[in-house]
Amino acid sequence: MSSRLKARGIVPRKSLGQNFLTDDATARRIVDAAEIAPEDLVFEIGPGMGALTVHLAKRAGWVVAIELDRALIPALQRELGEARNVTVVHGDALEVDFGVLAQEAERAFGWSFAAIRFVANLPYYITSAAIRCILECGLRSAAIVLTVQAEVAERVVAQPPDMSLLAVSVQFYGEPELLFKIPPDRFYPQPEVESAVLRIRPHAQPFAVDPQAFFRVVKAGFSQPRKQLRNTLAAGLGITKARAGEILLASGIEPGRRAETLGITEWIGLANYIMSNESIA
Ligand code: SAM
């Protein structure tokens, strides 16, 4: 990889999270995890030099690969060679409209896609924002397969009593699994930490709760780490501690518990109770 980059005059940019995957067996394992069928559309964030893209193009009906670094695009296109089912978009994956790109890809494909999937070895500096963008873009996807820092993957799949705002946010939309870890020496340049591949399968049906109210309450709950919910909810929602205690008890939650100990269904019950009984600004 180092010589391929040098030959093309490319110096990896740390500021863009450029750690290129050098191990083809790992690339295939990541692509396998996405369970792609020939009529599927795959979005790839940060194709880089195409380590995953070449395999995605062989399996999917269409691939839309969004790369921020214009300098990599000619090299990527060379790697893709004859593949005619890849649209390379130069842009910021946090800014693009996935819905519009999916419509354009469908016109180019000439057929309705059976499913939409997301695959990425994410640049680590945009991990949380990219996960949020994918989950909240409004497209129903069948699977999301992401390489992230191992420590982040562990936080995403955590269960009570080790939940975090990130874990609740992901698990609200889907079921995450940590599939396998990748040591630093499978990338060039090597990242400082171990990576892990995460697969998120979005829930078939959204939960019966208003997402805005849900996240308002969850954010209030996590606003002061390791404090009792009675206190964090009071501060976060602008209500008295006594009222916060009553709300929690009425929702079946002991007011002395911490946000990290609540599961998704408890947050939903709490958000729905607050929506029906409280007027919060
Ligand atoms: N997929 C390639 C691989 O596995 O070797 C590259 C992975 S590298 C970890 C991350 C890639 O994301 C780089 O190519 C980088 O330029 C690109 N990137 C960084 N920020 C981006 C953004 N906001 N939108 C799209 N691509 C981005």
Side-chain angles (χ1 to χ4, degrees):
M1 176 61 74
S2 144
S3 50
R4 263 169 62 207
L5 289 168
K6 249 185 221 143
R8 284 159 196 169
I10 296 166
V11 180
R13 292 169 67 180
K14 208 172 171 182
S15 64
L16 290 185
Q18 290 180 351
N19 302 100
F20 300 104
L21 186 63
T22 52
D23 180 36
D24 196 51
T26 304
R28 286 170 193 272
R29 253 182 112 186
I30 295 169
V31 172
D32 283 347
E35 299 164 333
I36 300 162
E39 315 77 32
D40 290 351
L41 166 63
V42 177
F43 281 111
E44 186 188 8
I45 295 177
M49 302 278 289
L52 301 177
T53 329
V54 290
H55 297 293
L56 296 173
K58 285 183 198 143
R59 315 253 184 114
W62 206 269
V63 179
V64 177
I66 304 145
E67 174 56 59
L68 183 58
D69 188 354
R70 189 191 290 278
L72 298 181
I73 291 179
L76 171 64
Q77 263 152 353
R78 236 187 329 258
E79 290 299 321
L80 290 170
E82 297 297 297
R84 292 282 163 267
N85 60 339
V86 182
T87 309
V88 176
V89 176
H90 171 233
D92 183 340
L94 302 180
E95 302 286 332
V96 298
D97 185 330
F98 287 107
V100 169
L101 291 175
Q103 280 170 9
E104 288 170 1
E106 196 148 271
R107 275 197 293 278
F109 186 50
W111 206 254
S112 291
F113 293 117
I116 298 178
R117 293 164 201 274
F118 286 83
V119 178
N121 284 342
L122 281 180
Y124 292 155
Y125 79 105
I126 61 165
T127 302
S128 301
I131 294 178
R132 204 168 47 242
C133 260
I134 294 171
L135 293 173
E136 295 178 0
C137 73
L139 288 180
R140 269 213 56 74
S141 58
I144 300 160
V145 174
L146 304 173
T147 306
V148 299
Q149 291 183 7
E151 178 260 326
V152 174
E154 273 152 14
R155 271 175 42 219
V156 167
V157 301
Q159 293 294 313
D162 298 312
M163 297 295 276
S164 60
L165 183 55
L166 179 66
V168 176
S169 306
V170 173
Q171 293 174 30
F172 178 69
Y173 289 104
E175 186 133 359
E177 300 165 77
L178 193 163
L179 298 181
F180 57 93
K181 294 196 173 168
I182 311 179
D185 67 3
R186 306 293 147 87
F187 296 91
Y188 178 83
Q190 292 190 24
E192 275 148 32
V193 294
E194 198 176 28
S195 302
V197 177
L198 199 58
R199 178 170 57 204
I200 305 167
R201 291 187 197 278
H203 301 308
Q205 291 294 330
F207 288 118
V209 64
D210 169 41
Q212 240 182 317
F214 177 84
F215 282 108
R216 174 87 207 277
V217 172
V218 173
K219 280 182 188 154
F222 280 102
S223 58
Q224 294 162 304
R226 288 176 288 284
K227 291 249 172 80
Q228 296 188 355
L229 273 169
R230 166 201 290 122
N231 298 327
T232 59
L233 276 192
L237 299 178
I239 55 178
T240 65
K241 287 183 193 170
R243 182 64 192 137
E246 284 167 14
I247 290 172
L248 285 158
L249 281 176
S251 309
I253 299 163
E254 208 277 302
R257 284 174 62 186
R258 294 173 300 111
E260 293 82 351
T261 70
L262 265 60
I264 298 289
T265 48
E266 289 179 303
W267 284 114
I268 291 169
L270 181 59
N272 279 334
Y273 182 88
I274 291 174
M275 278 297 278
S276 324
N277 295 283
E278 240 15 63
S279 62
I280 50 170

